[in-house]
Amino acid sequence: MTATDPALTALADSWCALSVLHGRIESHIERALQAGHGLSVREYSLLDVLSRQHEGKGGRMQMRQVADAVVLSQSATTRLVTRLEERALLSRYLCPTDRRGIYTDVTPAGLELLEAARPTNSAALREALDQAALDAQLAPLVAAVEEIRSPAAL
């Protein structure tokens, strides 16, 4: 295949459309969360991930796992944790069995803010998807997103 191969061009166009959809959704949610709760999308995502970390076997997430879950580098995740800790939305403490390990938990204030922000996040996501569905290039991607169901929803 060459760079001008129609299959590669179509693939690149599809990737571009997916990137546009993601950007539009994230921007819309960012504005709504900032206006309503003073949270960025990344801050909301981090609070959400950490609020769920005690569910399931093990009950703790390593910072590497948290970084993967919020799609940030480990250093960017650490900086984000620090900012939220300074706002008293998160707390950090040493692992009692391994002094090298550091756990991060959402504080009661963080949980309260997260719960207040969840409906805003959901409404902004719905609005962004509805708007994107009006774009012929993005409509198939919106349909695909809406088809995906988490195992918990099935």
Side-chain angles (χ1 to χ4, degrees):
M1 286 199 269
T2 65
T4 57
D5 184 294
L8 286 178
T9 301
L11 184 62
D13 289 347
S14 297
W15 173 248
C16 183
L18 181 60
S19 180
V20 167
L21 178 63
H22 177 269
R24 286 184 185 180
I25 291 170
E26 189 170 60
S27 293
H28 191 78
I29 293 172
E30 178 82 25
R31 287 189 302 273
L33 288 173
Q34 281 289 347
H37 308 282
L39 283 174
S40 71
V41 168
R42 298 288 186 209
E43 291 168 338
Y44 174 88
S45 296
L46 181 63
L47 288 172
D48 185 54
V49 164
L50 291 174
S51 75
R52 299 170 197 267
Q53 75 176 332
H54 299 290
E55 297 173 7
K57 190 175 181 181
R60 296 270 181 226
M61 294 175 72
Q62 298 173 355
M63 283 304 283
R64 173 184 43 79
Q65 294 169 309
V66 174
D68 288 346
V70 296
V71 193
L72 290 173
S73 67
Q74 282 187 273
S75 61
T77 301
T78 299
R79 288 189 302 272
L80 186 58
V81 165
T82 299
R83 282 198 312 269
L84 291 175
E85 186 178 35
E86 289 169 354
R87 292 173 58 189
L89 301 175
L90 296 178
S91 63
R92 283 191 268 199
Y93 58 95
L94 291 175
C95 172
T97 58
D98 179 358
R99 305 297 278 173
R100 296 170 296 172
I102 298 175
Y103 290 147
T104 304
D105 273 332
V106 181
T107 64
L111 288 173
E112 186 178 320
L113 181 59
L114 178 62
E115 289 307 313
R118 276 197 169 117
T120 302
N121 183 74
S122 295
L125 174 59
R126 180 74 267 156
E127 291 167 5
L129 287 170
D130 288 347
Q131 186 64 36
L134 300 175
D135 182 323
Q137 187 180 19
L138 301 179
L141 294 171
V142 172
V145 167
E146 291 176 339
E147 291 279 325
I148 298 170
R149 298 286 182 253
S150 70
L154 296 176

